[in-house]
Amino acid sequence: MALPLKNRVKKKKDFNDLFKNGRTLKGRFLLIKYSREPSHIPKIGFIVQSKVAKKATQRNLIKRILAETVRRNLSKIRRNTIILVLRLPEAEFLRTSLLMDLNNLIPNLYA
């Protein structure tokens, strides 16, 4: 099941604002840009660059994996805007290690 539409960052302006003014949290595989300004509901965006995975199908698979993990943990995410950016090329990570990295970073957003 996908992340609900109401919880997605969709506008380019929102992405740009978050990259300019957002805070950064780095994990082994992920870079998280987030805003401390509360919104009505948590908004999540995903970026997987072509440096990470050359084929669009691979990038979309990675986004779906991240979206499913976030959807399962949506109750842990407060009302902030968050963008997840995958940092390393695909060959350097496993699905389980990517999910562990994300699960470890979510609590650190509010530390």
Side-chain angles (χ1 to χ4, degrees), residues 3-105:
L3 192 63
L5 285 172
K6 66 181 181 180
N7 292 111
R8 296 183 197 173
V9 176
K10 293 175 266 187
K11 296 179 183 174
K12 184 172 181 160
K13 179 188 178 301
D14 295 338
F15 277 95
N16 291 338
D17 287 346
L18 202 52
F19 271 98
K20 284 183 184 175
N21 305 321
R23 295 176 180 236
T24 304
L25 190 60
K26 292 180 184 178
R28 185 170 174 205
F29 301 106
L30 294 170
L31 171 75
I32 297 180
K33 296 294 276 187
Y34 66 100
S35 169
R36 289 259 185 194
E37 298 173 21
S39 59
H40 297 290
I41 54 173
K43 296 266 192 182
I44 317 293
F46 303 97
I47 297 175
V48 180
Q49 298 175 340
S50 58
K51 275 196 278 187
V52 172
K54 295 294 179 197
K55 294 183 179 182
T57 54
Q58 294 170 331
R59 292 192 301 271
N60 291 336
L61 175 63
I62 293 166
K63 289 179 195 177
R64 284 195 303 272
I65 291 168
L66 290 172
E68 181 61 23
T69 305
V70 168
R71 187 188 64 79
R72 288 182 182 171
N73 293 301
L74 210 50
S75 61
K76 296 178 186 175
I77 298 173
R78 294 187 193 151
R79 294 179 173 149
N80 298 59
T81 303
I82 300 170
I83 296 179
L84 303 172
V85 181
L86 190 62
R87 296 174 44 186
L88 297 176
E90 180 188 11
E92 296 184 27
F93 68 86
L94 298 171
R95 183 180 198 161
T96 54
S97 54
L98 177 63
L99 297 178
M100 283 188 344
D101 194 27
L102 180 58
N103 286 328
N104 290 337
L105 288 174

